[in-house]
Structure formats: structure tokens, C-alpha cells
Amino acid sequence: MATEAGWSCDANDAVHVTIVQPGEKKPKTLSAFHPQFTYPIFGDDEQIFGYKGLIIRLRFAAHDLRPHVHISYDEKFKPVGDTAALDLLATLKPFVQPESFANLPDYEKAIQEDPDAKDFKPPGQFVLGYEADDRKYEIWAGSLGNPDVRKILDRMQVLVSLFIEAGTPLETDDPEWTLDRWTVYFVYEKVTPPTPTASAYSIVGYATTYRYWYYHRNQSETPTVKNDEFPPSEVDIAELPSRIRIAQFLILPSHHRAGHGTHLYTTIHAACIADPTVLELTVEDPNEQFDALRDTADYCLLRPEFLRHNVNLNPDPLGAYSEKKRPRNVPTSALIPTKLLHDIRKSFKIEPTQFAHVLEMYLLGQIPKSHRLAGGTNLARLLIKKYKADNENDRRYYWWRMLTKQRLFKKHKELLTELELMDRVEKLDATVQNVEEGYEITLEALEGRLPEVPTDEEAEENANEQASKAPTGSRDQRVKRKLTVMEDDDEEDESEAAKRPKI
């Protein structure tokens, strides 16, 4: 009688994702890779019971993502009582399109003889073309209300479960007005067609963005009571002030480390800047890899603007202070030009927490490395001298730490005040160090790769060029209350346990 021992296999190893295109006689594989995760499909243990030599092939046509599931194995466990091999077809059906279960000869024939492949163009509008490593790529964007956009997205949504941790496939059977809020960006490589009837497009990755209404009252207008119909009988969501949220963002593993993620993100950002109804770009629950990509892209975008306006930390915000009587609080505006920074953030449509991250990283980079923790500065001595340190860069570094601690404490005040006093101080210091180390990694990676600060004319030209890359017709700003930077006597009320907070 068969036993259960040895009948389980790793689902991540068993699943093979392949991108195929027509070959001389049958479809050939352009790229193949294993998933990062399979727990949404096969459970938290990511194990499949009941097979030996199991291979689950998820094939996708390179141009239109026509899917196919093919399962093969050497042996299958014979049921013993209530114990049976996992029903693979039933398990996969909720995650893939029904057309995926066509028989293999029919699928291969459809790939080889697709009459529409030669004239295929990605759905939506052409947005941007670029080159990387002597290969040509294009970005296209279209509304999810477009049936052709929706068809390709539906076919590839299983990849969300396989490559985006905690990712959720979109519901594409919603009403049209809801679907129109979604924009899908496709990244394709332009390739030499392998056969006379094959397509010249091969999928690289995609992103989805969601447009949602953002209340934004005109501060120059006096509020008045109106008897207008509410809600209005007809509302065009594209004309309302909105935020854009990046929901899904995926570059296939075979195209990693080639800059495609940066091109895709900056294209989405450029579309937001070009759309006067969009007030802010946000991201839904980014992971660490996306955080790093976003920080780098936003830093490269904002750094020239900061340099052009000579943004830097004031090393002496207290001015002529008295040794006997010093102010307990220093206004943030005495340290950095808060009004100017507010205007820059608004013009680049970056949400407040992300803008603070980029600003902190930039200000840290303006301090010579020898006066930062990464350069071996004597932190113990600095914490004794504080803002009275002899060197102005030491004072800048002191105030940088205070500015960063202020943000972390304000963001997590409720959690931090539950800790004992010494625990709060210790955890806040540890978190500031983690944040600084993360910034140092990015600054080091960018060292020597950034251009000099542009002139006003060049900056305007760059802004216009970015706006021109946005798709035609594509889709909080609130005034913060005055902030203060606390000195070390008050800093014992601050802390933060986690690593750099996510938005």
C-alpha cells in the first residue's frame, strides 16, 4: 500500500512560467522562470501533495499573453481513505482564464498560426519608446474599460499571485464607470519576428493605476451654501481632482536589472504631472524593492530642483542664542525653507511621506561623508556638543538627525508613547540609524551617475519634456500645521521601533 512519505513537492519548483513565440515548426520559449510565491494558490506551506516528477507549465504568448496550462508528472498518489492527491485543475481554475485549459496541440497551433499576430499592437495609446542595451522597448497605456486592455490583463493576472507578495488580482467585471478609473501600462520589447506571421512585440511587464477622488477645496473661495443637486446627475471622473495610486507593478524576471521599472515608474509619474486634475501620486503597500526603485527615481527627479534653489540645512537655526536661556523648540522653517519645499512637492505631485524621504536623503547627501555616521563621525561627541559643535557640518548633521526623528516620532507617536522612556529613546535612535543606512546605500549607488544642476532654462525644458511623454488625456494637498524640531532634552519622548516606515 502506498504511503504519504515522499509525495510532497515544492510548488515554487514545480511551477514553470514560460513566454513563447512561434518557431519554425512549433512554439519556442523566449524565457522561462519560476515564481517567487505560490502560497495564494497552494497554501502557506507552498507544497503540493500527491505527485512525483510534477511540472506545471504556465505558458503565455509573448505578444497577447494567450495562456495555457500543461501538467505532467511521473507518478500520482493513489487515494488511501480520505487522503488523495491535490486536484490541480480545480486548484488552478480560480487563478487562470478558462481558455488556459485547451489541449496542447490546439494551443500550439493557435500560437503558430495566429492570423492577427503580424499586425498586433499593444492596446491603448503609445506613450514612450526607449532603448536599453541596444534593444528597443515601448510603453503603452489604456483604460481598463477598453476590452482589449482588459483581455490581456485578465490573461496575465495569475502573475500577480506568483510575483507580487500579498497582491490581489483585479476584479474586471465591475461597471464601466469603475473600470474607467483604472489605467494599465504595458511594457513591450520590439523584437525581430521569428516567422513571417509572428508579432514584433514581446511582453516585459505592466503596471496598473487607480484614479480616486480627492477633496481639494479652493482656499481662495469663501465656503457658501448651495442648493445644487448632489450628487450631480452626471459626473465625469476624469474632470474631478484626484489622486493616482499605483496598485500593481511587475517586470518579468527575465527583464530584471535593465532599468525597465524606472522607465515605467517615471512614465506614470510624468502622466500625473501632465494631468492638471491629478494632485498626487501614491503607491499601494510597496515592498522594499519598489521602495528602492521609487526613492531612486524621485531623488533623480527632485535633486536638480533642490540644487537649483540651494536647498540645505541651516546649521545655526537658533541665531544668537543665550547660554543661560535657550528656546526649547526650533521652528522647522528656521532649518529648511518649508514654503519653497511645499511648492516643490505640490508641483511634482509627490505625497508628503515620500517627499520627506527624498528630502532627508538629499539633505544627508549635502553633508560631507566624513561628518556622517557612514564616514566615521564621532556620534557620542556630537551628542554632547549638539548644536554647539565647532564645525558647521557637524551641526548640520545634528539637526538632520533631529529633523528625521521629528518625522518618525510624529508618524508613530501613538505606538511609541506606549513604550517605557528608555525604550523609546533606544528604538528611535536605532530607527534613525536604519533610515540613514538605507539612504547611504542609495546615495552610494547613485554616486558619479547624477548630472550637474541644470540652469533655469534647462530645468524648464526638462519639465516640458517629461510632460510631453505623458499619454494624451491620461489620468492632498493640505497645508500642514506648523512643525517644530525638538532638542535632545525633549527627544526622550520620541522613538520608533520599525525600520524605515512604508507609506
Side-chain angles (χ1 to χ4, degrees):
M1 180 181 292
T3 64
E4 296 181 28
W7 286 96
S8 288
C9 64
D10 187 300
N12 292 341
D13 291 337
V15 175
H16 297 240
V17 181
T18 60
I19 307 298
V20 300
Q21 65 176 184
E24 290 186 7
K25 295 182 178 180
K26 65 177 185 177
K28 68 175 183 178
T29 298
L30 272 180
S31 59
F33 37 86
H34 292 285
Q36 278 186 277
F37 319 103
T38 51
Y39 64 85
I41 301 175
F42 297 108
D44 291 343
D45 293 336
E46 297 185 323
Q47 295 288 307
I48 299 174
F49 174 76
Y51 303 88
K52 290 184 178 180
L54 176 65
I55 298 177
I56 302 173
R57 292 183 176 88
L58 300 181
R59 291 189 177 100
F60 297 92
H63 66 297
D64 65 358
L65 282 298
R66 181 192 292 268
H68 184 254
V69 173
H70 182 258
I71 300 170
S72 63
Y73 50 84
D74 296 331
E75 290 184 71
K76 183 176 180 180
F77 182 82
K78 294 180 180 179
V80 177
D82 294 333
T83 303
L86 179 68
D87 186 335
L88 294 173
L89 293 180
T91 302
L92 289 169
K93 276 183 179 179
F95 296 90
V96 297
Q97 294 296 292
E99 61 181 323
S100 304
F101 299 102
N103 63 58
L104 184 57
D106 287 347
Y107 178 75
E108 292 188 341
K109 182 179 179 180
I111 295 294
Q112 289 291 104
E113 302 176 7
D114 183 351
D116 301 321
K118 183 178 181 180
D119 299 323
F120 172 86
K121 287 187 177 180
Q125 285 182 292
F126 172 81
V127 180
L128 176 71
Y130 65 93
E131 292 189 14
D133 299 327
D134 298 323
R135 296 162 72 174
K136 295 182 179 181
Y137 300 90
E138 295 179 358
I139 297 178
W140 293 66
S143 164
L144 197 54
N146 180 333
D148 293 331
V149 171
R150 193 160 61 250
K151 182 178 182 179
I152 291 183
L153 183 68
D154 282 338
R155 285 174 166 179
M156 65 194 307
Q157 285 219 75
V158 64
L159 300 177
V160 172
S161 300
L162 300 178
F163 292 99
I164 301 178
E165 189 167 11
T168 304
L170 302 184
E171 295 290 340
T172 59
D173 57 354
D174 284 343
E176 185 176 345
W177 68 270
T178 300
L179 296 177
D180 281 339
R181 292 177 178 231
W182 289 92
T183 298
V184 184
Y185 290 82
F186 296 107
V187 185
Y188 275 91
E189 181 181 3
K190 286 294 295 289
V191 298
T192 301
T195 67
T197 60
S199 172
Y201 286 94
S202 177
I203 191 70
V204 171
Y206 81 105
T208 59
T209 67
Y210 180 70
R211 181 187 183 99
Y212 62 106
W213 178 65
Y214 176 39
Y215 175 67
H216 183 68
R217 184 172 71 84
N218 187 340
Q219 299 293 332
S220 64
E221 295 181 359
T222 303
T224 57
V225 176
K226 296 182 179 179
N227 293 322
D228 297 347
E229 177 186 4
F230 188 85
S233 56
E234 293 184 8
V235 176
D236 185 352
I237 187 66
E239 296 178 359
L240 297 177
S242 303
R243 284 190 177 105
I244 294 294
R245 173 173 291 168
I246 297 175
Q248 299 166 331
F249 194 100
L250 174 65
I251 301 297
L252 297 181
S254 51
H255 293 279
H256 282 184
R257 311 189 72 82
H260 301 300
T262 299
H263 280 289
L264 181 54
Y265 173 77
T266 54
T267 298
I268 294 171
H269 196 169
C272 293
I273 292 175
D275 188 340
T277 67
V278 174
L279 303 181
E280 202 168 87
L281 174 63
T282 66
V283 181
E284 182 178 330
D285 194 21
N287 58 24
E288 290 183 10
Q289 290 81 6
F290 189 86
D291 269 338
L293 181 154
R294 185 186 185 201
D295 284 351
T296 301
D298 287 344
Y299 181 84
C300 292
L301 182 68
L302 290 173
R303 178 179 175 270
E305 193 74 4
F306 291 155
L307 289 172
R308 193 161 64 90
H309 290 285
N310 296 316
V311 173
N312 207 341
L313 276 165
N314 178 9
D316 300 304
L318 296 176
Y321 62 86
S322 167
E323 290 288 347
K324 295 183 179 179
K325 185 178 181 180
R326 68 182 185 187
R328 286 180 59 82
N329 297 321
V330 177
T332 304
S333 58
L335 272 175
I336 53 177
T338 52
K339 175 61 171 65
L340 170 66
L341 293 170
H342 174 86
D343 293 341
I344 292 174
R345 183 184 80 80
K346 183 177 179 180
S347 66
F348 283 92
K349 303 183 181 180
I350 297 176
E351 62 91 24
T353 302
Q354 175 63 9
F355 186 83
H357 291 164
V358 177
L359 176 62
E360 287 167 5
M361 181 160 55
Y362 168 79
L363 293 174
L364 180 67
Q366 295 304 104
I367 301 169
K369 192 168 184 178
S370 59
H371 295 270
R372 307 185 325 234
L373 195 61
T377 191
N378 191 324
L379 187 57
R381 182 167 56 190
L382 179 63
L383 294 180
I384 294 173
K385 290 271 191 177
K386 301 181 182 177
Y387 56 88
K388 301 176 187 176
D390 296 331
N391 187 287
E392 73 171 27
N393 286 312
D394 287 336
R395 298 196 296 275
R396 279 197 177 93
Y397 183 56
Y398 169 80
W399 288 116
W400 181 87
R401 286 174 55 83
M402 296 302 101
L403 193 68
T404 305
K405 285 183 180 183
Q406 172 188 261
R407 176 181 66 81
L408 294 172
F409 180 66
K410 288 177 69 68
K411 183 175 177 64
H412 300 278
K413 183 175 181 179
E414 185 176 342
L415 173 65
L416 299 172
T417 50
E418 294 178 0
L419 302 175
E420 294 294 331
L421 178 62
M422 294 309 296
D423 288 339
R424 293 202 300 267
V425 174
E426 180 182 341
K427 290 185 181 298
L428 183 58
D429 281 335
T431 302
V432 171
Q433 183 171 333
N434 284 336
V435 168
E436 184 175 352
E437 289 172 354
Y439 292 160
E440 292 286 5
I441 291 172
T442 304
L443 290 171
E444 184 177 351
L446 291 172
E447 191 172 355
R449 292 167 47 193
L450 295 171
E452 296 299 319
V453 58
T455 63
D456 288 352
E457 292 77 10
E458 290 171 333
E460 185 176 351
E461 233 175 79
N462 291 341
N464 291 335
E465 182 183 352
Q466 283 293 321
S468 70
K469 293 178 181 177
T472 305
S474 66
R475 333 261 197 252
D476 115 80
Q477 185 67 23
R478 57 177 178 268
V479 179
K480 294 183 181 178
R481 58 191 176 90
K482 185 176 181 181
L483 305 179
T484 59
V485 177
M486 298 182 178
E487 296 180 5
D488 276 354
D489 288 349
D490 304 299
E491 136 191 347
E492 292 180 351
D493 291 332
E494 305 174 275
S495 108
E496 160 63 48
K499 290 187 176 181
R500 171 183 162 178
K502 290 187 177 181
I503 61 171

